Amino acid sequence: MKLTVYGDINPYYAQTLCMVFFPGAKFSRSEKPDGREAVISMTVYADRITSFTRMTDGARSACGSEDYVFAPGEVCTPRAKKLSVGRAVFAAGKALFGYIPPWGILTGVRPAKIAAEYLNKGNGILRTRRILCDEYFLNPQKAALATGVANTEMRLVKKMQRDDLCSIYISIPFCPSRCAYCSFVSYTSASLLSLIDRYLEKLYEDIDSMFETVRLLGKRVASVYIGGGTPTVLDPHQLETLLSRIRRHTGPDEWLECTLEAGRPDTITAEKLAVARDCGVDRISVNPQTLSDDILRAIGRRHTVQDFFRAYEIAQKSGIPHINVDLIAGLPGDNFRIFSQTVDKILELSPSNITVHTFCVKKSSDLLRTNSNIYSLPGGDAAKCVTYAQLKTKFAGYRPYYMYRQKNTVGNLENVGYSKEGAEGLYNIFMMEELHSIFAIGAGAVTKLVPYRQPGEACDRIVRIFTPKYPYEYLRDADLIRNGDPSVGKLSIRDKILQYFQDLRSF
C-alpha cells in the first residue's frame, strides 16, 4: 500500500490508522503498487489543526477532513494532532468502505491506558465512556470495556506501585509442533527440541546473573512468569531443575505469584504439575484455543478436544490454585455457533481465569502463505464471538481485568483476560500498566526497564533490551549477552540494566 503524509505526522501512527481500514497492509518502499493508497496531511494554525485524508481502493476513492478547534486556553499538543489526523482518516475510511471500526481511531497495544488517563483526571466512569465515544469514536461496548478494565487495574495496583518491586520473565521457546498461525518457530520441531539441553545450561547461568542483578538493585521479585513456547515441553526432571534454580534465589514467600505457561494439553502430565506445585507455581494455563477437533487439525494443533479435558482434569487435581484457559475467536473455519459452544463448555469447568484472544495473522505464519484472503475488514463472526464471551463471562461472575490489542487482528478486535474476584494474574497487570521493571531471560525475551512514578503519572523513560529471538541465536551469542564486548563498546545485558538505574539516580 502506498502512504504519503504531509505535515508533522508520525508515519507509524498514520500506518496504524490505515491498517484499520486496510488490514494486513504493508508499507515498505519495495511493495509493488496494489491500487491501495492514502494521502494524509495536517496543518497547524493558531486556533486549530486541520487534517485531510484521501483514500483509494482500486477505482474507488473517498475523502475526509477534520478541523480540531482549540478550546479557550488550549495549546497544540501531540494528542490534539493525533485526534485531528485520526478523525480525518476515520471519515475517509467510513465513506470509502461504509465500515465503522469498533475501536474508532484508538490505536496502540493498551486501549485501557487512555481510559485510565481520563479517570485519573477526575472524570467518572460514565463521563470517560462518553469521551471515548465522542472523541475517539469507540462504539459504546468497547468504551465500557476499556473503562471497566482501566478501573479494575487502577484498584488492583494501588498497593503494588512501589519502587522496590520487579518481575522476572523466563523464556522457554520450544513447542511440540508449530501452529499454523504462529510465526515464531523457524525450523522443524525436531531441530529445535534437540537444542533444549544446551539452551537450559545457558539459561541457568543467565538466571543466576539476573537474580544477582536484582539483588544489587535492592529489588523484590513480585512475580515470576515462565512462558514460551510451551514450558511444559520440558520433561519432569528438566522442569524441576529449572524451577529449583529460580527458587534458590528467592525466599519461600517472597513472590506474590509464579505462573507456568503450560499451554499445550498434549504436554501436560500429573508428574510435571506435581513438580510445578512443589516448586511454588500457583498459576498455570491449559489452552484448548477451541473445542472443535476439525479446527484444531486445521490450525496445526496436535491435541484433541478430549486431550484438553484430560489435561484440565489433571490440572484441577494438581493442587495448583489458579487455572487459566485461552480461547481464540475468529480462527479460520470457526463460526459463532462453534465458538459460543466452546465458551459455554469452558464456563461449565469454571476456571479461575479465561483469556479470549482474537485471531491475529502473523506475517510469517503458514496460514498467511496458504490463504492470502485471510484478512477481512469486518472480521466475519469474530466481533459477535468476542461480544458473546464478554457477556457470558460477566453473567458467570468473571470480570475483565487486563486487555491488549495487536496489529492484524481479525476485525480489528482485542484480547481480554477475564477473572473471578481475587484470581487476577498480577503479572499481566504489571506488564500492561508498566508498573515496574520486568527482567527477562532467554531467547526472544524483552527486558523492560521502568522508573518508579506516582500512580497515574506518565512515563517517557522506559527502555527495552532485546535478547536474540531464536534459540540458536541465543546460544551463539551467549557470551556477548552475558559479558558484552568492550572492544566495540557493547555492554552486557547486566551492565545495561545497572547503567539505566545509575542514570535514573543522577537524572
Side-chain angles (χ1 to χ4, degrees):
M1 176 178 181
K2 183 179 180 181
L3 172 63
T4 307
V5 298
Y6 298 99
D8 185 21
I9 300 172
N10 183 315
Y12 180 75
Y13 176 60
Q15 290 175 9
T16 59
L17 288 170
C18 289
M19 290 175 71
V20 171
F21 296 98
F22 296 95
K26 298 178 181 179
F27 300 93
S28 68
R29 293 181 179 179
S30 61
E31 292 297 318
K32 296 180 180 179
D34 60 1
R36 300 183 298 175
E37 183 178 3
V39 179
I40 307 173
S41 66
M42 179 185 69
T43 306
V44 179
Y45 299 99
D47 62 341
R48 70 186 64 214
I49 304 170
T50 298
S51 296
F52 173 82
T53 298
R54 185 183 74 249
M55 278 188 183
T56 301
D57 183 34
R60 300 181 303 138
S61 291
C63 298
S65 62
E66 167 68 15
D67 268 346
Y68 182 97
V69 180
F70 298 143
E74 184 182 4
V75 297
C76 182
T77 63
R79 174 161 295 179
K81 293 178 181 179
K82 292 179 73 172
L83 284 171
S84 178
V85 169
R87 291 170 183 175
V89 173
F90 181 92
K94 180 181 176 182
L96 182 60
F97 296 105
Y99 170 66
I100 302 177
W103 285 98
I105 62 171
L106 196 58
T107 63
V109 174
R110 300 165 54 209
K113 178 181 178 181
I114 298 294
E117 290 179 10
Y118 286 106
L119 291 172
N120 278 317
K121 291 177 180 178
N123 296 285
I125 290 176
L126 293 179
R127 172 62 180 159
T128 298
R129 289 182 186 178
R130 285 197 298 270
I131 291 172
L132 294 177
C133 292
D134 296 344
E135 297 192 12
Y136 295 87
F137 304 151
L138 273 67
N139 73 29
Q141 184 190 55
K142 300 307 180 189
L145 176 61
T147 305
V149 168
N151 190 53
T152 298
E153 286 181 341
M154 289 167 61
R155 182 182 60 80
L156 289 171
V157 305
K158 278 184 178 179
K159 296 181 180 179
M160 292 186 289
Q161 194 152 7
R162 291 169 28 191
D163 191 25
D164 64 331
L165 294 183
C166 69
S167 290
I168 298 286
Y169 176 85
I170 298 171
S171 170
I172 307 295
F174 303 95
C175 285
S177 64
R178 175 175 174 164
C179 295
Y181 52 76
C182 180
S183 65
F184 181 77
V185 182
S186 61
Y187 294 101
T188 64
S189 293
S191 298
L192 283 171
L193 294 175
S194 69
L195 300 177
I196 287 181
D197 287 333
R198 288 176 55 210
Y199 179 86
L200 290 175
E201 289 177 9
K202 296 299 182 183
L203 188 72
Y204 297 151
E205 295 178 30
D206 285 343
I207 287 172
D208 293 343
S209 176
M210 190 64 82
F211 272 98
E212 173 63 16
T213 303
V214 169
R215 187 191 65 78
L216 287 174
L217 293 171
K219 302 286 187 182
R220 175 193 170 192
V221 177
S223 67
V224 175
Y225 193 103
I226 305 164
T230 308
T232 43
V233 75
L234 303 182
D235 65 35
H237 174 71
Q238 291 169 330
L239 191 59
E240 182 174 22
T241 304
L242 170 64
L243 292 169
S244 298
R245 193 76 172 220
I246 299 167
R247 258 307 185 195
R248 74 165 60 169
H249 294 287
T250 62
D253 301 314
E254 179 173 344
W255 58 46
L256 300 174
E257 70 174 23
C258 179
T259 302
L260 178 69
E261 185 73 30
R264 293 288 194 95
D266 46 330
T267 67
I268 293 173
T269 67
E271 186 179 3
K272 292 179 185 181
L273 296 195
V275 166
R277 178 201 61 220
D278 293 344
C279 290
V281 171
D282 58 4
R283 184 176 295 272
I284 61 171
S285 284
V286 185
N287 302 333
Q289 315 301 20
T290 175
L291 295 182
S292 164
D293 282 328
D294 290 339
I295 296 174
L296 287 172
R297 282 191 294 271
I299 63 176
R301 303 281 282 196
R302 290 187 178 176
H303 64 84
T304 65
V305 172
Q306 191 57 42
D307 289 334
F308 162 72
F309 285 113
R310 174 197 60 81
Y312 190 87
E313 184 178 4
I314 291 172
Q316 277 188 312
K317 294 178 178 178
S318 70
I320 295 173
H322 298 299
I323 304 173
N324 173 74
V325 173
D326 275 9
L327 303 177
I328 301 179
L331 284 168
D334 204 358
N335 57 41
F336 178 74
R337 179 185 60 81
I338 296 172
F339 185 82
S340 61
Q341 290 175 353
T342 293
V343 170
D344 292 344
K345 290 176 183 177
I346 294 300
L347 287 172
E348 290 175 7
L349 299 175
S350 192
S352 58
N353 296 79
I354 301 172
T355 306
V356 179
H357 300 270
T358 304
F359 175 55
C360 180
V361 186
K362 302 293 186 180
K363 291 181 181 178
S364 302
S365 67
D366 290 339
L367 280 174
L368 189 56
R369 286 196 293 268
T370 58
N371 183 2
S372 59
N373 296 318
I374 199 167
Y375 295 109
S376 168
L377 192 59
D381 282 354
K384 189 177 177 181
C385 290
V386 298
T387 297
Y388 183 84
Q390 184 178 347
L391 293 174
K392 291 289 287 192
T393 52
K394 178 180 179 180
F395 293 142
Y398 297 80
R399 62 179 177 183
Y401 76 98
Y402 88 102
M403 171 175 56
Y404 65 100
R405 295 175 65 207
Q406 297 169 281
K407 291 187 298 184
N408 295 331
T409 53
V410 170
N412 192 36
L413 295 166
E414 69 279 353
N415 309 305
V416 183
Y418 300 92
S419 171
K420 293 182 177 179
E421 181 73 31
E424 297 86 0
L426 299 180
Y427 178 86
N428 296 322
I429 298 173
F430 295 152
M431 280 292 293
M432 289 299 105
E433 285 299 297
E434 298 175 329
L435 293 181
H436 60 227
S437 295
I438 309 290
F439 299 106
I441 309 162
V446 181
T447 290
K448 184 187 292 187
L449 303 178
V450 181
Y452 176 72
R453 62 203 189 280
Q454 294 299 320
E457 183 180 347
C459 181
D460 60 358
R461 292 178 59 81
I462 293 175
V463 170
R464 291 169 176 81
I465 302 173
F466 298 85
T467 52
K469 182 177 181 180
Y470 298 106
Y472 78 91
E473 293 175 324
Y474 175 76
L475 292 171
R476 181 196 64 199
D477 297 339
D479 289 340
L480 185 62
I481 293 168
R482 195 166 302 115
N483 304 314
D485 187 350
S487 67
V488 294
K490 284 188 176 295
L491 298 177
S492 66
I493 287 181
R494 174 192 176 106
D495 288 340
K496 289 178 182 178
I497 292 170
L498 294 175
Q499 183 65 56
Y500 172 85
F501 285 99
Q502 179 63 39
D503 291 344
L504 279 183
R505 284 191 287 269
S506 62
F507 178 70

Coordinates of all heavy atoms in Angstrom, one line a residue, residues 423-455:
A423 N -8.7 -13.6 41.7 CA -7.9 -14.5 41.0 C -7.1 -13.9 39.8 O -6.6 -14.5 39.0 CB -8.7 -15.7 40.4
E424 N -7.0 -12.5 39.8 CA -6.4 -11.8 38.7 C -4.9 -12.2 38.6 O -4.2 -12.4 39.6 CB -6.5 -10.3 38.9 CG -7.9 -9.8 38.9 CD -8.6 -9.9 40.3 OE1 -8.0 -10.3 41.2 OE2 -9.8 -9.5 40.3
G425 N -4.4 -12.3 37.4 CA -3.0 -12.6 37.2 C -2.2 -11.3 37.3 O -2.3 -10.4 36.4
L426 N -1.4 -11.1 38.3 CA -0.8 -9.8 38.6 C 0.3 -9.5 37.5 O 0.4 -8.4 37.2 CB -0.1 -9.9 40.0 CG -1.1 -10.1 41.2 CD1 -0.3 -10.1 42.5 CD2 -2.1 -9.0 41.2
Y427 N 1.0 -10.5 37.0 CA 2.0 -10.3 36.0 C 1.4 -9.6 34.8 O 2.0 -8.7 34.2 CB 2.7 -11.6 35.6 CG 3.7 -11.4 34.5 CD1 5.0 -11.0 34.9 CD2 3.4 -11.6 33.2 CE1 6.0 -10.9 33.9 CE2 4.3 -11.4 32.2 CZ 5.6 -11.0 32.5 OH 6.6 -10.8 31.5
N428 N 0.2 -10.0 34.4 CA -0.4 -9.4 33.3 C -0.7 -7.9 33.5 O -0.5 -7.1 32.6 CB -1.8 -10.1 33.0 CG -1.6 -11.5 32.6 OD1 -0.7 -11.9 31.8 ND2 -2.5 -12.4 33.0
I429 N -1.1 -7.6 34.7 CA -1.3 -6.2 35.0 C 0.0 -5.4 35.1 O 0.1 -4.3 34.6 CB -2.1 -6.0 36.4 CG1 -3.4 -6.7 36.3 CG2 -2.2 -4.6 36.8 CD1 -4.2 -6.8 37.6
F430 N 1.0 -6.0 35.7 CA 2.3 -5.3 35.7 C 2.8 -5.0 34.3 O 3.4 -3.9 34.1 CB 3.3 -6.2 36.4 CG 3.1 -6.5 37.9 CD1 3.5 -7.7 38.5 CD2 2.4 -5.6 38.7 CE1 3.2 -7.9 39.8 CE2 2.1 -5.8 40.0 CZ 2.5 -7.0 40.6
M431 N 2.6 -5.9 33.4 CA 3.1 -5.7 32.0 C 2.2 -4.6 31.3 O 2.8 -3.7 30.7 CB 2.9 -7.0 31.2 CG 4.1 -8.0 31.5 SD 5.6 -7.4 30.8 CE 5.3 -7.4 29.1
M432 N 0.9 -4.7 31.4 CA 0.1 -3.8 30.7 C 0.2 -2.4 31.3 O 0.2 -1.4 30.6 CB -1.4 -4.2 30.8 CG -1.7 -5.5 30.0 SD -1.4 -5.2 28.2 CE 0.1 -6.1 28.0
E433 N 0.3 -2.3 32.6 CA 0.3 -0.9 33.2 C 1.7 -0.4 33.4 O 1.9 0.7 33.8 CB -0.3 -1.0 34.6 CG -1.9 -1.1 34.6 CD -2.5 0.1 33.9 OE1 -2.3 1.2 34.5 OE2 -3.1 0.0 32.9
E434 N 2.7 -1.2 33.1 CA 4.1 -0.8 33.2 C 4.4 -0.2 34.5 O 5.0 0.9 34.7 CB 4.5 0.2 32.0 CG 4.3 -0.5 30.7 CD 4.5 0.4 29.5 OE1 4.2 1.6 29.6 OE2 5.0 0.0 28.4
L435 N 4.1 -1.0 35.6 CA 4.2 -0.5 36.9 C 5.6 -0.6 37.4 O 6.1 0.2 38.3 CB 3.3 -1.3 37.9 CG 1.8 -1.2 37.7 CD1 1.1 -2.0 38.7 CD2 1.4 0.3 37.9
H436 N 6.3 -1.6 37.0 CA 7.7 -1.8 37.4 C 8.5 -2.5 36.3 O 8.0 -2.9 35.3 CB 7.8 -2.5 38.8 CG 7.2 -3.8 38.8 ND1 6.3 -4.2 39.8 CD2 7.3 -4.9 38.0 CE1 6.0 -5.5 39.6 NE2 6.6 -5.9 38.5
S437 N 9.8 -2.7 36.6 CA 10.7 -3.3 35.6 C 10.4 -4.8 35.5 O 10.1 -5.5 36.5 CB 12.1 -3.0 35.9 OG 12.4 -1.7 35.8
I438 N 10.5 -5.3 34.3 CA 10.4 -6.7 34.0 C 11.8 -7.2 33.5 O 12.2 -6.8 32.4 CB 9.3 -7.1 33.0 CG1 8.0 -6.4 33.3 CG2 9.2 -8.6 32.8 CD1 7.2 -7.0 34.5
F439 N 12.4 -8.0 34.3 CA 13.7 -8.5 33.9 C 13.6 -9.9 33.2 O 13.1 -10.8 33.8 CB 14.7 -8.6 35.1 CG 14.9 -7.3 35.8 CD1 14.3 -7.1 37.0 CD2 15.7 -6.4 35.3 CE1 14.5 -5.9 37.7 CE2 15.9 -5.2 35.9 CZ 15.3 -4.9 37.1
A440 N 13.9 -9.9 31.9 CA 13.6 -11.1 31.1 C 14.9 -11.9 30.7 O 15.9 -11.3 30.5 CB 12.9 -10.6 29.8
I441 N 14.7 -13.2 30.7 CA 15.8 -14.1 30.5 C 15.4 -15.1 29.4 O 14.4 -15.7 29.4 CB 16.1 -14.9 31.8 CG1 16.3 -13.9 33.0 CG2 17.4 -15.7 31.7 CD1 16.1 -14.5 34.3
G442 N 16.4 -15.3 28.5 CA 16.1 -16.4 27.5 C 15.9 -15.8 26.1 O 15.7 -14.6 25.9
A443 N 15.8 -16.7 25.1 CA 15.6 -16.3 23.7 C 14.3 -15.6 23.5 O 13.3 -16.1 24.0 CB 15.7 -17.6 22.8
G444 N 14.3 -14.5 22.8 CA 13.1 -13.8 22.5 C 12.6 -12.9 23.6 O 11.6 -12.3 23.5
A445 N 13.3 -13.0 24.8 CA 12.8 -12.3 25.9 C 13.2 -10.8 25.8 O 14.2 -10.4 25.3 CB 13.3 -12.9 27.2
V446 N 12.3 -9.9 26.3 CA 12.5 -8.5 26.3 C 12.4 -7.9 27.7 O 11.4 -8.0 28.4 CB 11.4 -7.8 25.4 CG1 11.7 -6.3 25.4 CG2 11.4 -8.4 24.0
T447 N 13.6 -7.4 28.2 CA 13.6 -6.7 29.4 C 13.0 -5.4 29.3 O 13.4 -4.6 28.3 CB 15.1 -6.7 30.0 OG1 15.5 -8.0 30.3 CG2 15.2 -5.7 31.2
K448 N 12.1 -5.0 30.2 CA 11.5 -3.7 30.1 C 11.9 -2.9 31.4 O 11.4 -3.3 32.5 CB 10.0 -3.8 30.0 CG 9.3 -2.4 29.8 CD 7.8 -2.6 29.9 CE 7.2 -3.3 28.7 NZ 5.7 -3.3 28.6
L449 N 12.7 -1.9 31.3 CA 13.1 -1.1 32.4 C 12.2 0.1 32.6 O 12.0 0.9 31.7 CB 14.6 -0.7 32.2 CG 15.6 -1.8 32.0 CD1 17.0 -1.3 31.7 CD2 15.6 -2.8 33.1
V450 N 11.6 0.2 33.8 CA 10.6 1.2 34.1 C 11.0 2.0 35.4 O 11.2 1.4 36.4 CB 9.2 0.5 34.3 CG1 8.2 1.6 34.6 CG2 8.9 -0.3 33.1
P451 N 11.1 3.3 35.3 CA 11.4 4.1 36.5 C 10.1 4.1 37.4 O 9.0 4.1 36.9 CB 11.7 5.4 36.0 CG 11.0 5.5 34.7 CD 10.9 4.1 34.1
Y452 N 10.4 4.3 38.7 CA 9.2 4.4 39.6 C 8.6 5.8 39.4 O 9.2 6.8 39.1 CB 9.7 4.4 41.1 CG 8.6 4.6 42.1 CD1 7.6 3.7 42.3 CD2 8.6 5.8 42.8 CE1 6.6 3.9 43.1 CE2 7.5 6.0 43.7 CZ 6.5 5.1 43.9 OH 5.5 5.3 44.7
R453 N 7.2 5.8 39.5 CA 6.5 7.0 39.4 C 5.2 6.9 40.2 O 4.8 5.8 40.5 CB 6.2 7.3 37.9 CG 5.3 6.3 37.2 CD 5.4 6.3 35.7 NE 4.5 5.5 35.1 CZ 4.6 4.1 35.0 NH1 5.6 3.5 35.5 NH2 3.7 3.4 34.3
Q454 N 4.6 8.0 40.5 CA 3.3 8.0 41.2 C 2.2 7.5 40.4 O 2.2 7.6 39.1 CB 3.0 9.5 41.7 CG 4.0 10.0 42.7 CD 4.1 9.2 44.0 OE1 3.0 8.8 44.5 NE2 5.3 9.0 44.5
P455 N 1.2 6.9 41.0 CA 0.0 6.3 40.2 C -0.6 7.4 39.3 O -0.8 8.5 39.7 CB -0.9 5.9 41.3 CG -0.1 5.6 42.5 CD 1.1 6.6 42.4

